[in-house]
Amino acid sequence: MPAVVGAWLPLSQLLWLALQLPVVPDTSSGNLRDATFRSLNHCSSTRQQQACMQADSNLQALIVEQERPEARERQPRCLGALTQVETVLATFRWRLETSTNLQRAIDAAEAQCLPL
């Protein structure tokens, strides 16, 4: 079993994390940016797997949106900030990262990805 920052994750938890089904991005508000940051903040504050899976799904959709050339021209630092959140969120979901560090990455990305 893999060591995790001085602790062991139970095999059942590892399997549960590995077998999670994909979640559809929440675009019900009509604003993917706001929905993404709202779900990321919810994930960071609650650390619930379902909330973090929704945040990851929204984040992936926003990254795809920001990969378009016109989006990169308007906000050149946004994509880099979002990929940093993606990395921290992945380690957070595996309990290898703190909510404080995740929140810092979220706040930095939110500052770089201003509403259009």
Side-chain angles (χ1 to χ4, degrees), residues 26-37:
D26 175 18
T27 56
S28 60
S29 69
N31 187 330
L32 182 57
R33 179 204 175 273
D34 290 347
T36 299
F37 286 110

Side-chain angles (χ1 to χ4, degrees), residues 65-81:
E65 186 178 282
Q66 288 298 315
E67 287 175 334
R68 293 188 325 230
E70 60 274 8
R72 289 199 325 250
E73 287 177 16
R74 282 189 311 246
Q75 297 185 10
R77 292 188 175 102
C78 180
L79 183 59

Side-chain angles (χ1 to χ4, degrees), residues 37 81 85 103-113:
F37 286 110
V85 172
Q103 194 60 54
R104 283 184 193 140
I106 293 167
D107 293 343
E110 197 166 10
Q112 294 298 325
C113 302

